[in-house]
Amino acid sequence: MADTASSIELGFIGFGNMAQAMAQGLVNSGALSGEHIHACAGHFDKLQATAEKLGVHAHREAAEVVEASDFVVLAVKPYLIEQVVEPVRETLAGKAVISVAAGRDFAFYEGILAPNSHHLSTIPNTPIAVGAGVVACEQRHSLTDEQLQTFENLFGQIALIEWVDGKLLSTASSIAGCGPAFAAMFLEALGDAGVKHGLPRQTAYRLAAQMMMGTSKLYLETGTHPGAMKDAVCSPGGTTIKGVAALEKDGFRGTVIDAIDAIEGE
Ligand SMILES: NC(=O)C1=CN([C@@H]2O[C@H](COP(=O)(O)OP(=O)(O)OC[C@H]3O[C@@H](n4cnc5c(N)ncnc54)[C@H](OP(=O)(O)O)[C@@H]3O)[C@@H](O)[C@H]2O)C=CC1
Ligand SMILES: O=C(O)[C@@H]1CCC=N1
C-alpha cells in the first residue's frame, strides 16, 4: 500500500458521470496523474475513448482494476453493486473500497464484502470535476487510519469532505449529490429570465453563475446566516424585496423543501 495520496493507485469500477467527474478533478488539479488511475465499465469501446481523454488506464475486467489498485471506487448504479462485487469479493478484501452509490451504507457492505474488508460509503457530487465538490462520508467505516488519511489527503484537494451519521447519508445525498441538478435549474431559470428581458443568453448565464458561486463563497468564508445575507441585499422599498416577495408568493422555499421530501420519500 502506498502511503501518500500522490503515489496511490486508484481504481474505478464503473466510469460514468460520477467516476469521470472524480477522475477529471484529480487529474486536472494535479492531485493524481491519470497513469495512477484505472477504470472498467460496461462497454469497453466507450470507456477507451473517455479514458484516453483523461490519460487513465482502461481495463476490460473489474478484476484487473482491483489487481492494479490500492483504492477501488464502486461507481456503478446502486442496483449493480452486488453484481460487480461478487466476482472480485476476495481480492477486494485487501483494498480500500470506496462506495459512491446512493443508498448503499456501511451495513450494506458488511453484508456483501468479505469479513474484515476496509470500506467507506460516500456521496460525492459532480462539481468535484472542477475541484469544487463535496464528498459526504458515513462516519462508520472500516478503513485503516492510513487509508483514511490517504483518502482525505487525496479527495480533500478537490472537495469539501463532510462526515455524517449513516442515517443522514441519504439526506446529505439529496442536498449535495442531487443538488447540482437543482442549482443548474436555478441557473437556467435566471438565464431564461435574463433573456426574457433582453440579455444575451451567455451573458445571463455568466452573471447568474458567478452570482451563485460568489454567494456560496460568501457563506462558506464568513458563515453569515443565509437570512442575514438575504437581508443585506434587500434595501427598504428597493428592488430585491420585490423579487423576494414574488418568490415567497410562489412558495420558493417550500418548493425546495418539497423537492428534498420527494427524494427522501416523505
Ligand atoms: N451522477 C451523480 O451526480 C452522482 C452519482 N452517484 C452515484 O454514482 C454511481 C454511478 O452513477 P453515474 O455515474 O451517474 O451513472 P452512469 O450511468 O453515468 O455510469 C455508470 C457506469 O457504470 C458502468 N457499468 C455498468 N455496468 C457495469 C458492469 N457490469 N461492470 C462495470 N461497470 C459497469 C457503466 O458503463 P457503460 O456506460 O459502458 O455501460 C458506466 O460507466 C451511482 O451509484 C450513483 O448513485 C452519487 C452521487 C452523485
Ligand atoms: O440521481 C441519482 O440517483 C444520483 C444519486 C445522487 C445524485 N445522483
Side-chain angles (χ1 to χ4, degrees):
M1 169 75 61
D3 61 359
T4 63
S6 60
S7 59
I8 74 158
E9 300 296 321
L10 178 68
F12 290 95
I13 297 181
F15 203 63
N17 291 316
M18 196 60 250
Q20 284 176 45
M22 293 168 83
Q24 198 178 323
L26 291 170
V27 171
N28 291 349
S29 68
L32 192 65
S33 146
E35 70 196 58
H36 296 296
I37 299 178
H38 307 265
C40 68
H43 298 87
F44 185 70
D45 291 348
K46 192 172 79 173
L47 170 69
Q48 264 191 318
T50 43
E52 199 174 321
K53 279 188 211 142
L54 284 167
V56 313
H57 299 279
H59 297 270
R60 288 185 183 275
E61 302 294 333
E64 295 167 13
V65 171
V66 176
E67 169 73 24
S69 307
D70 305 307
F71 279 67
V72 178
V73 181
L74 301 178
V76 295
K77 293 293 185 192
Y79 73 93
L80 286 173
I81 294 283
E82 283 130 307
Q83 187 181 314
V84 301
V85 162
E86 200 275 327
V88 290
R89 185 173 176 270
E90 302 313 318
T91 39
L92 269 180
K95 317 286 176 167
V97 178
I98 309 296
S99 168
V100 300
R104 298 293 182 260
D105 63 3
F106 181 88
F108 169 82
Y109 286 102
E110 285 295 277
I112 66 164
L113 293 173
N116 304 318
S117 291
H118 303 294
H119 58 94
L120 166 67
S121 291
T122 76
I123 290 290
N125 68 6
T126 49
I128 203 167
V130 292
V134 162
V135 183
C137 301
E138 183 174 4
Q139 283 161 348
R140 190 171 178 207
H141 65 83
S142 54
L143 299 188
T144 66
D145 289 348
E146 187 187 325
Q147 288 170 338
L148 180 60
Q149 196 177 349
T150 302
F151 170 82
E152 291 190 307
N153 285 348
L154 186 62
F155 288 103
Q157 295 179 59
I158 54 170
L160 172 76
I161 296 180
E162 279 282 340
W163 294 90
V164 297
D165 188 273
K167 63 179 182 297
L168 294 174
L169 192 62
S170 76
T171 307
S173 168
S174 304
I175 304 286
C178 306
F182 311 144
M185 288 171 74
F186 187 49
L187 178 59
E188 190 182 24
L190 288 172
D192 281 347
V195 168
K196 185 178 177 201
H197 289 276
L199 279 177
R201 182 165 288 279
Q202 297 311 318
T203 305
Y205 283 151
R206 275 197 304 275
L207 289 170
Q210 176 70 16
M211 175 281 295
M212 288 168 67
M213 190 184 71
T215 307
S216 301
K217 194 168 155 68
L218 189 60
Y219 173 75
L220 288 169
E221 290 189 4
T222 67
T224 307
H225 188 287
M229 287 169 58
K230 182 257 294 167
D231 290 352
V233 187
C234 293
S235 315
T239 52
T240 312
I241 196 66
K242 293 178 183 146
V244 167
L247 284 172
E248 286 300 81
K249 186 163 160 272
D250 291 334
F252 181 65
R253 283 185 276 205
T255 303
V256 172
I257 294 167
D258 282 350
I260 304 303
D261 286 352
I263 305 170
E264 298 281 305
E266 286 178 23

